[in-house]
Amino acid sequence: MGYIQYETQDRVAIITLDRPERRNAQNAALLKELDETFDRAVDDDEVRVIVLKANGKHFSAGHDLSPDVFDSEPWKSMMADSDTNGLLRLYKWELKHFFGYSRKWRDLPKPTIAAVQGACIAAGLMLAWPCDLIIASDDARFSDPVIHMGIGGVEYHGHTWEFGARKAKELLFTGDFIDAEEAHRLGMVNKVVPREELESTALAMARKISRMHPHGLLMAKRAVNQSLDAQGMSTALQSAYDMHALGHANAYAISGEIVLVGLDEMTKANKESSDS
Ligand code: ZN
């Protein structure tokens, strides 16, 4: 344990990402601890609402992609038999831990509120989007730039559901950020507040919701989420996850790595070698 802080205030559970020195980049241990902490909040009958926030300047820089991560577990064993099984282990691992956790957290039987500041990049979205409400500080910015790595988007394809098709394509194709104001205008964010009011605003909203009857809250949440699922959200998410996995497979076929790190450099080098 050590990446997550947990406390309760009255009927509100507060879960805090606590890896600010790495911009709350997510490694396997952080995600496991976060999942266990969500379970703890769900299992506590006194808790009515869950707030997810982050220490430091940034909410989350996404998955931890530092080179030492890929040289250690669980990645090492995932690739150990890739000569015979291809990327089967990787597919199953991401299905459970990246895609699966976000799916699970989206349907937790209690209201959840994300308080987001600074950068929320790629897998950072996979923490914020599954929450029911998002409060952003005015310095928050959001992007999913994994197209630079030859992948069509993060494992959990919330994009189209969060912004609509047109904006989702812009965000994915360009890898650009959208800022808090634009995210608010698009309906992805409930409220934008000054940085110093982020936590107090999220907690005030949580306290207000915590006074509602828990059964009513659960039925309201299920009504909204199941309306999205009736429009095909669950099926679309699963299908988009498979396309994400195809991105890894294609990168692996090209480079022997699951992502095309330094794609720009690679394109440049290829061009130079074909020019000469
Ligand atoms: Zn992946």
Side-chain angles (χ1 to χ4, degrees), residues 63 75 90 94 98 151 153-155 241 244-245 248 258-259:
H63 290 143
W75 302 95
L90 175 75
E94 291 200 335
F98 293 166
I151 312 284
V154 287
E155 287 81 2
Y241 172 70
H244 170 91
H248 283 313
I258 57 169
V259 293

Side-chain angles (χ1 to χ4, degrees), residues 151-163:
I151 312 284
V154 287
E155 287 81 2
Y156 179 90
H157 182 84
H159 320 61
T160 304
W161 301 91
E162 296 286 349
F163 314 117

Side-chain angles (χ1 to χ4, degrees), residues 14 51 91-92 95 115 164 175 186 191 212 225 240 256 270:
I14 304 166
V51 171
Y91 180 92
K92 291 187 341 190
L95 181 67
L186 292 165
K191 241 185 226 294
M212 305 298 176
N225 285 4
N270 285 349

Side-chain angles (χ1 to χ4, degrees), residues 9-242:
Q9 288 181 13
D10 300 322
R11 292 169 166 177
V12 177
I14 304 166
I15 298 175
T16 306
L17 307 176
D18 188 30
R19 202 187 183 202
E21 72 285 2
R22 298 296 293 270
R23 298 190 297 161
N24 295 306
Q26 305 161 36
N27 58 19
L30 180 146
L31 285 169
K32 183 168 183 287
E33 195 181 334
L34 178 58
D35 185 58
E36 288 166 358
T37 311
F38 272 125
D39 282 346
R40 180 176 172 186
V42 166
D43 291 343
D44 183 345
D45 288 340
E46 296 300 312
V47 168
R48 298 277 175 90
V49 182
I50 302 165
V51 171
L52 175 64
K53 65 182 187 66
N55 283 339
K57 268 180 80 175
H58 302 288
F59 182 75
S60 176
H63 290 143
D64 191 339
L65 298 176
S66 42
D68 54 313
V69 168
F70 289 103
D71 288 335
S72 57
E73 293 301 344
W75 302 95
K76 243 182 150 163
S77 349
M78 272 190 266
M79 304 312 290
D81 62 351
S82 57
D83 54 338
T84 49
N85 279 321
L87 300 182
L88 178 61
R89 281 177 194 259
L90 175 75
Y91 180 92
K92 291 187 341 190
W93 195 87
E94 291 200 335
L95 181 67
K96 179 176 177 183
H97 296 94
F98 293 166
F99 180 69
Y101 279 162
S102 291
R103 293 282 314 265
K104 175 185 165 185
W105 299 335
R106 180 244 193 195
D107 286 323
L108 291 179
K110 294 180 182 180
T112 51
I113 302 174
V116 179
Q117 79 278 17
C120 178
I121 300 173
L125 300 167
M126 292 168 59
L127 305 184
W129 282 344
C131 290
D132 297 312
L133 306 175
I134 300 178
I135 313 291
S137 62
D138 48 14
D139 67 345
R141 57 190 198 279
F142 306 85
S143 79
D144 183 8
V146 301
I147 200 160
H148 287 296
M149 302 188 292
I151 312 284
V154 287
E155 287 81 2
Y156 179 90
H157 182 84
H159 320 61
T160 304
W161 301 91
E162 296 286 349
F163 314 117
R166 198 75 62 195
K167 198 71 199 180
K169 287 174 185 168
E170 182 189 328
L171 186 92
L172 288 166
F173 291 178
T174 65
D176 287 347
F177 280 101
I178 58 172
D179 62 23
E181 280 305 331
E182 187 175 16
H184 182 248
R185 188 171 54 73
L186 292 165
M188 192 198 105
V189 156
N190 294 85
K191 241 185 226 294
V192 181
V193 297
R195 174 71 185 87
E196 59 275 15
E197 293 171 23
L198 178 64
E199 186 170 338
S200 59
T201 306
L203 288 176
M205 189 175 274
R207 275 193 294 273
K208 181 173 191 176
I209 295 170
S210 75
R211 291 193 282 271
M212 305 298 176
H213 195 280
H215 190 263
L217 290 171
L218 176 56
M219 293 304 108
K221 176 164 180 165
R222 287 182 64 79
V224 175
N225 285 4
Q226 292 189 115
S227 296
L228 291 169
D229 287 341
Q231 295 169 55
M233 185 173 179
S234 282
T235 313
L237 286 175
Q238 179 64 58
S239 166
Y241 172 70
D242 288 351

